Amino acid sequence: MSLINAFRVGASGTVAQSQRLNAIASNIANAESTASASGVPYRARQVVFRPLPGPDAVATGVEVARVTESAAPLRQIYQPGHPHADATGYVQGSNVDPVEEMVNMVAASRSYQMNIDLMNNSRQLLQRVIDMVRT
């Protein structure tokens, strides 16, 4: 892999992980919500990646293939006085698991940082090559 390709891999990884972090932030922000603007409870969103194909079937990075909504069941919360409660007093809440989202956030943050480190190391190597050529 050339140093330029390393930059491509790192850049695509940081963009993809940034989108993943945005989805996680949205999930955490809506963890306690009971209804969205459309009237239905918020469903957790998950980012799905796919490799960017390159020459010789070697991946040259990653991109977001799609963002999916979790199929996990919605939480049923007994709150008879709540404005969104049904006739039995239950409110449907989002299916976001805050603990799972925090774990995902740590993993995505570390992946983001590793991609930044890859680009920094590639930059340093490229600078050393340029310095060697100059002397």
Side-chain angles (χ1 to χ4, degrees), residues 101-122:
E101 293 303 323
M102 293 301 289
V103 170
N104 287 338
M105 183 175 61
V106 169
S109 296
R110 287 185 179 166
S111 294
Y112 183 91
Q113 185 60 47
M114 293 303 291
N115 283 293
I116 296 292
D117 291 345
L118 169 68
M119 290 189 297
N120 283 335
N121 290 337
S122 298

Side-chain angles (χ1 to χ4, degrees), residues 2 28 46 87:
S2 74
I28 292 171
Q46 300 158 343

Side-chain angles (χ1 to χ4, degrees), residues 50-128:
R50 73 170 164 235
L52 288 171
D56 303 325
V58 176
T60 59
V62 66
E63 69 180 352
V64 173
R66 64 188 180 284
V67 178
T68 62
E69 285 189 348
S70 172
L74 297 170
R75 288 182 297 131
Q76 297 292 325
I77 307 158
Y78 185 69
Q79 289 182 320
H82 195 279
H84 296 125
D86 62 13
T88 61
Y90 283 93
V91 177
Q92 284 190 330
S94 76
N95 61 355
V96 174
D97 179 356
V99 173
E100 181 181 339
E101 293 303 323
M102 293 301 289
V103 170
N104 287 338
M105 183 175 61
V106 169
S109 296
R110 287 185 179 166
S111 294
Y112 183 91
Q113 185 60 47
M114 293 303 291
N115 283 293
I116 296 292
D117 291 345
L118 169 68
M119 290 189 297
N120 283 335
N121 290 337
S122 298
R123 181 188 55 79
Q124 289 172 355
L125 286 171
L126 193 56
Q127 185 62 49
R128 286 182 184 160

